[in-house]
Amino acid sequence: MHARLSSRMAAAAVVLVALLCAAVSAGWLYGWLYRRPVTVTSPCPEAQEDYQVLVMLDSGFDFGKPRGDAGDMRFTASDGESMLPYWIEDWDVVGGSGALWVNVPVLGAADTLLFVYYGNAAAVTAADPAATFEVYDGFEDYALGAAPSGGGLNPGEWSRYPGNPLLEPGPAGTWDDHGATFASVIYDSLAGEFRMYYHGFSSGGIHQIGLATSPDGLAWTKYPGNPVMTPGPADWDGGSVRVPMVWKEGLADFRMIYTGNGSGGMRIGYATSADGISWTKHPSNPVFNDPTWASGQTENWGVMKVGSEYLMWYSNFGMRQSGIAVSTDLVNWAPHTPGPIFASSGVASDDRYSQFCPFSFRYGEYYYVLVPSYSSVANYSSFYLYRSTSPYFPEADRHLVRIAHTVGGAGEWDNHDNDTPCLFTLDIERTQFYNDELWCYYAAEGGSDMWKEGLLIETDIAGALADAPLPGGEISWAVSGDAQVVDSPVRHGVRSVRMRDTSTSAAVSAAVSFPSRQSGRLGAWMRRTTTSNGDLDIYLYGGSTLSCVAGLGRNGDFHYWNGAFQATGVAWSVDTWYLVTLAFDVAVDRYDFVVYDLHMNEIVHVGDVAFGGAGSFIDRAMFYTSSGFTGDGFIDDMRLMKWCGEPEVVVGAEENPVVSTYLLSSSAEFRGAFIELSWLLEPSDSQMRFAVLRAQMPGGEFEELTGAAIEREDFRFTVRDESFEPDCVYRYRVDIDTGDRQWTLFETDPVRATPRALSLGQNHPNPFNPSTSIGYYLPQRAPVSLDVFDAAGHRIVRLVDGMQERGEHRAEWDGRDARGATVSSGVYFYRLTAGKTAVSRKMVLLR
């Protein structure tokens, strides 16, 4: 057994050993073979929120049942299903020990029941220290070789394409030798290529519009005839043309909104083209300018179409705020509101002091907008993603979803200014996403004012648009002397902080500030390379008041401070990690100093130490080497934990799994000709028999469904109910019998059997190469044909020809014509004819 945790040190501790206890009724996680109840008795006089509990495993635990790396360990609340954040402090299969921290949402006065799960070879590691502790820092978020600074990782950030940057400035002396920015990307089905219209400018300050092409949206080649749009001849855009926003509304109908700069300042123009290369400026130019809040310096960006209206975001210079202008013909524009929609905060240091060049799109029932923002004393730093049910984003209907992008790290190509995001969509309604992925092109520079184009790619659109935690100011760092992030040695993760003093003449420190606390425990793993004079300590402050100190002291032993340094008489070893912790309570002016070794054994415990300086809160910790220190000191995995005393330890015992734990998924869907019931189980040796029951809603009793065979493929089971009545609502239940037990495996939500009309689905994938799948539904038996036509209306192949039964059907096209020849890239149409009814859709083939 591990040594018992200190009464002052343990947030809450539970030891698991192999004892038997009664089964507990709850829902279960699917896919895990083993679970154990863990009962925590609160040590606190009042209920606590987000309390850290330490679960320790000893030799009574069977380490052969979880995965060897503990990646399948999970904790849930008392319902057996709600996941709880946790972190693995220690995992030693050979030694038979483990220490895992779990965050309990509410620790009440009564006992709190948790469950720990294990035994799932397919589970992905979910340990999350940042979510487990109120403040946590493993130093993984900082640039190697740089000392910690405020901020840290943005948890909602979209993924950078590893091949960035995609487009760079031209050679010295060319028209775009100073930058390529404001990229607008489309797919041209006629040319069979991706096109990027960008704003290039020279070292002389002349801005013009160029074109680059790509076969895949990743590898780009600049058009040799660049630029494709130049200033003038009119005075209003005679100085420069910039900020192209290009889209297509037909096979040969290219449109561009752009910004011109000339005698009247910055205003907005409109141009058209039949090939996307030769552009004609509209005779009514400039078509828009806002002399009010935009001060006549009006710059366009994202354009989308909503119904019969075009919505254009525009911004001004100075504080750079943003609004929307509306038009039905792209020539006559009017502001949607008399003032900006995204206004400056007016606070120079605020990241949202400037909000300009937004880009809107739609996904599902919501509109989204990316708004680049920056402070006037820092970089263009963040892309804020907002959601609304309105394309105009009124303040009352505007939700900040996440910060989708921030500047790159030190030395990276985009570590200074980042702006002008452009979501690549296949339509001006901004609803069709290439490859069912989110591609966002953006401009950036690394401090040299040489602009380049990069790309963010998210393969899971729904995940990229879901709410994400925003990086906040919960923790900030300040350093003095040689304190750097290094990748060796580390206690956990990939990086730690090294504090080095080769002169012995000055102290080195890394100080961290956090929200003030009256009680808690701050701990970090610490390590020294020498027993020479000097100390490696943790200092805790309340404002400027130093309250307590402890650490790896001079002359090789652990020490602490109560107004003067006190030796413990316990030696520490060179090049060895120790978890050094201080548990404090300002209400009683006391703290505990406790140290753990690598296996979480308690090796130092000094309790009820009086503060060296009285205070009313703790809000700062400093990792510190004294001026006499030589060699290297390391810190890793700093965390601030809640604490209010020792809990009563209650032991849980292992349960055998029930078959419901094997259920991976289930569904019930109306398919037109039948209602399909399906479920998937984890592999099992059990001989299972199923009974399928149906109840008509509302209020009907479950009765066994007869005449419907259960089909099995491996561990997926399917039943098709063809005996339904149209416009009726049903619930289904599946009971299971393994010979020694019978119980309900699952029940379904209500399913309505609604008659469907003839329907033709969108092909998938779209665009495609080399093949695609086309789904359709027949409401009744009928003669059916499915044909593919080219853009000129010529039929090139018939995929289906014959009588088909009612229900769902699917056909494949491999991109070949009726003679078997491969067809070229472009837009194609497919038409389904069933009886006297026909429906059509279009698709895009990319070679």
Side-chain angles (χ1 to χ4, degrees):
M1 292 288 289
H2 291 289
R4 186 174 65 87
L5 294 180
S6 157
S7 62
R8 288 286 187 181
M9 284 306 306
V14 177
V15 179
L16 298 184
V17 296
L19 300 178
L20 295 176
C21 74
V24 179
S25 176
W28 307 120
L29 294 185
Y30 300 138
W32 275 262
L33 297 177
Y34 309 102
R35 63 179 173 272
R36 302 175 81 165
V38 178
T39 303
V40 181
T41 299
S42 175
C44 310
E46 298 177 350
Q48 300 289 316
E49 295 183 355
D50 296 323
Y51 199 87
Q52 289 81 44
V53 173
L54 178 60
V55 176
M56 298 188 69
L57 312 178
D58 67 2
S59 57
F61 180 81
D62 186 350
F63 282 86
K65 289 181 176 178
R67 274 197 353 219
D69 62 355
D72 57 341
M73 300 297 290
R74 296 293 189 275
F75 286 89
T76 73
S78 60
D79 61 6
E81 299 171 307
S82 300
M83 294 281 201
L84 303 181
Y86 73 96
W87 184 58
I88 303 169
E89 179 96 78
D90 179 56
W91 188 260
D92 184 357
V93 174
V94 176
S97 67
L100 300 89
W101 290 96
V102 56
N103 185 302
V104 180
V106 178
L107 192 64
D111 288 351
T112 299
L113 178 66
L114 313 178
F115 287 95
V116 58
Y117 284 79
Y118 48 96
N120 185 344
V124 178
T125 299
D128 186 351
T132 304
F133 301 108
E134 182 177 14
V135 174
Y136 174 88
D137 206 309
F139 307 110
E140 275 67 44
D141 304 340
Y142 304 105
L144 193 64
S149 59
L153 181 68
N154 173 16
E157 190 143 4
W158 291 349
S159 302
R160 288 170 166 83
Y161 171 60
N164 282 339
L166 305 180
L167 197 68
E168 305 204 31
T174 59
W175 72 279
D176 63 348
D177 66 358
H178 211 61
T181 182
F182 285 88
S184 177
V185 179
I186 66 170
Y187 179 74
D188 181 10
S189 57
L190 282 181
E193 65 187 11
F194 295 79
R195 291 189 172 187
M196 176 188 292
Y197 295 87
Y198 69 96
H199 158 170
F201 58 103
S202 67
S203 56
I206 303 300
H207 298 248
Q208 302 178 86
I209 294 173
L211 169 66
T213 60
S214 171
D216 57 5
L218 301 173
W220 292 90
T221 302
K222 293 181 180 179
Y223 174 58
N226 277 340
V228 296
M229 183 178 286
T230 57
D235 289 340
W236 81 273
D237 65 351
S240 68
V241 289
R242 51 193 290 159
V243 195
M245 179 54 56
V246 179
W247 70 94
K248 291 182 68 176
E249 295 204 26
L251 291 177
D253 184 5
F254 294 80
R255 307 186 181 193
M256 179 194 294
I257 293 292
Y258 70 99
T259 297
N261 193 8
S263 57
M266 297 180 67
R267 290 175 284 180
I268 295 174
Y270 172 46
T272 58
S273 173
D275 60 5
I277 297 175
S278 299
W279 290 89
T280 300
K281 298 178 179 179
H282 198 276
S284 298
N285 283 343
V287 296
F288 182 68
N289 182 38
D290 188 338
T292 58
W293 62 267
S295 304
Q297 297 291 328
T298 309
E299 183 176 59
N300 69 283
W301 190 229
V303 177
M304 72 180 299
K305 193 174 184 181
V306 180
S308 61
E309 294 184 328
Y310 295 91
L311 279 59
M312 173 182 67
W313 286 97
Y314 68 97
S315 305
N316 69 319
F317 272 74
M319 287 186 180
R320 307 196 81 174
Q321 308 178 105
S322 299
I324 291 177
V326 182
S327 175
T328 57
D329 59 6
L330 297 172
V331 176
N332 298 285
W333 294 87
H336 172 65
T337 59
I341 292 173
F342 288 96
S344 166
S345 69
V347 179
S349 60
D350 186 352
D351 190 41
R352 279 173 278 184
Y353 171 83
S354 173
Q355 305 185 83
F356 67 106
C357 293
F359 192 98
S360 287
F361 58 99
R362 185 168 183 171
Y363 183 76
E365 60 183 310
Y366 292 110
Y367 292 90
Y368 294 84
V369 63
L370 275 174
V371 186
S373 302
Y374 74 110
S375 75
S376 66
V377 297
N379 301 332
Y380 297 29
S381 56
S382 304
F383 293 176
Y384 283 82
L385 179 68
Y386 293 91
R387 178 175 68 230
S388 178
T389 59
S390 166
Y392 302 103
F393 293 89
E395 190 169 2
D397 183 14
R398 185 189 310 168
H399 173 69
L400 177 57
V401 175
R402 64 173 67 203
I403 296 177
H405 174 71
T406 60
V407 297
E412 296 184 25
W413 71 279
D414 62 346
N415 76 330
H416 196 257
D417 294 351
N418 286 230
D419 62 19
T420 59
C422 173
L423 261 295
F424 174 41
T425 62
L426 300 173
D427 61 333
I428 185 56
E429 289 78 15
R430 306 297 184 195
T431 59
Q432 297 181 23
F433 299 91
Y434 171 66
N435 205 33
D436 289 330
E437 296 177 345
L438 188 152
W439 287 35
C440 178
Y441 294 86
Y442 68 101
E445 57 98 5
S448 62
D449 204 31
M450 298 289 286
W451 288 83
K452 305 173 184 180
E453 279 294 327
L455 175 63
L456 311 172
I457 298 180
E458 286 291 322
T459 56
D460 178 4
I461 297 180
L465 301 182
D467 285 0
L470 298 174
E474 290 296 297
I475 180 171
S476 62
W477 287 89
V479 300
S480 175
D482 185 1
Q484 294 189 349
V485 175
V486 295
D487 57 7
S488 179
V490 295
R491 168 61 183 92
H492 191 270
V494 296
R495 291 178 182 170
S496 67
V497 161
R498 183 197 68 206
M499 298 191 295
R500 171 173 289 177
D501 189 351
T502 57
S503 68
T504 73
S505 61
V508 180
S509 66
V512 56
S513 298
F514 45 82
S516 63
R517 299 287 297 273
Q518 276 65 52
S519 64
R521 180 172 69 158
L522 188 136
W525 288 94
M526 304 179 72
R527 169 175 174 158
R528 288 186 61 164
T529 63
T530 175
T531 58
S532 301
N533 290 337
D535 308 318
L536 176 62
D537 290 325
I538 300 176
Y539 284 54
L540 295 186
Y541 291 84
S544 60
T545 302
L546 176 59
S547 293
C548 52
V549 181
L552 283 66
R554 63 199 68 188
N555 299 324
D557 79 344
F558 296 100
H559 70 169
Y560 64 98
W561 182 71
N562 60 0
F565 279 106
Q566 308 294 327
T568 63
V570 180
W572 51 264
S573 300
V574 169
D575 292 329
T576 302
W577 286 106
Y578 298 97
L579 178 59
V580 178
T581 63
L582 294 93
F584 57 88
D585 187 346
V586 299
V588 295
D589 189 27
R590 291 291 187 272
Y591 75 96
D592 284 6
F593 169 43
V594 180
V595 180
Y596 299 88
D597 66 12
L598 280 167
H599 300 291
M600 294 302 295
N601 292 307
E602 180 185 295
I603 59 175
V604 173
H605 177 183
V606 182
D608 294 319
V609 181
F611 281 6
S616 59
F617 60 88
I618 298 292
D619 67 352
R620 182 161 60 100
M622 183 167 68
F623 299 92
Y624 178 84
T625 67
S626 64
S627 58
F629 182 87
T630 58
D632 290 339
F634 298 93
I635 57 173
D636 200 1
D637 290 338
M638 186 278 294
R639 82 294 304 270
L640 180 65
M641 294 164 277
K642 292 191 174 179
W643 162 82
C644 59
E646 181 183 9
E648 295 180 12
V649 177
V650 179
V651 177
E654 186 171 334
E655 297 178 18
N656 293 320
V658 295
V659 174
S660 296
T661 306
Y662 295 150
L663 180 67
L664 293 179
S665 63
S666 63
S667 64
E669 297 180 85
F670 177 63
R671 303 278 189 190
F674 50 82
I675 297 174
E676 184 177 84
L677 192 65
S678 177
W679 61 97
L680 177 65
L681 303 184
E682 281 276 18
S684 171
D685 294 331
S686 300
Q687 295 297 312
M688 295 171 285
R689 296 186 296 275
F690 301 97
V692 180
L693 299 92
R694 185 182 73 183
Q696 185 170 334
M697 305 297 289
E701 297 290 332
F702 277 105
E703 298 180 356
E704 188 164 354
L705 186 66
T706 58
I710 299 177
E711 301 175 6
R712 175 174 179 173
E713 181 178 356
D714 293 326
F715 285 88
R716 180 174 292 280
F717 301 83
T718 305
V719 173
R720 294 181 174 88
D721 177 13
E722 299 180 353
S723 63
F724 64 87
E725 293 295 329
D727 292 322
C728 288
V729 179
Y730 298 93
R731 286 180 67 97
Y732 293 84
R733 190 180 86 203
V734 174
D735 291 345
I736 188 169
D737 184 349
T738 59
D740 58 343
R741 290 185 63 196
Q742 302 88 35
W743 64 95
T744 295
L745 182 64
F746 67 93
E747 290 184 11
T748 72
D749 291 329
V751 181
R752 179 177 292 277
T754 304
R756 291 170 55 189
L758 177 71
S759 63
L760 177 62
Q762 182 65 55
N763 66 301
H764 181 81
N766 186 43
F768 69 96
N769 180 15
S771 63
T772 190
S773 178
I774 300 170
Y776 56 97
Y777 172 77
L778 303 178
Q780 58 190 14
R781 187 172 186 271
V784 176
S785 62
L786 179 61
D787 302 298
V788 178
F789 300 84
D790 62 19
H794 303 119
R795 188 175 75 186
I796 60 173
V797 67
R798 173 162 286 183
L799 303 178
V800 177
D801 189 8
M803 187 70 68
Q804 290 190 330
E805 300 298 324
R806 180 184 76 165
E808 301 279 355
H809 298 272
R810 186 162 294 278
E812 306 288 328
W813 184 40
D814 61 0
R816 300 176 184 273
D817 62 18
R819 296 172 297 174
T822 300
V823 302
S824 61
S825 296
V827 176
Y828 293 85
F829 298 87
Y830 54 103
R831 183 174 67 196
L832 173 70
T833 304
K836 297 181 180 180
T837 306
V839 287
S840 301
R841 283 183 176 268
K842 70 177 181 179
M843 56 185 167
V844 177
L845 171 62
L846 297 181
R847 293 294 186 187

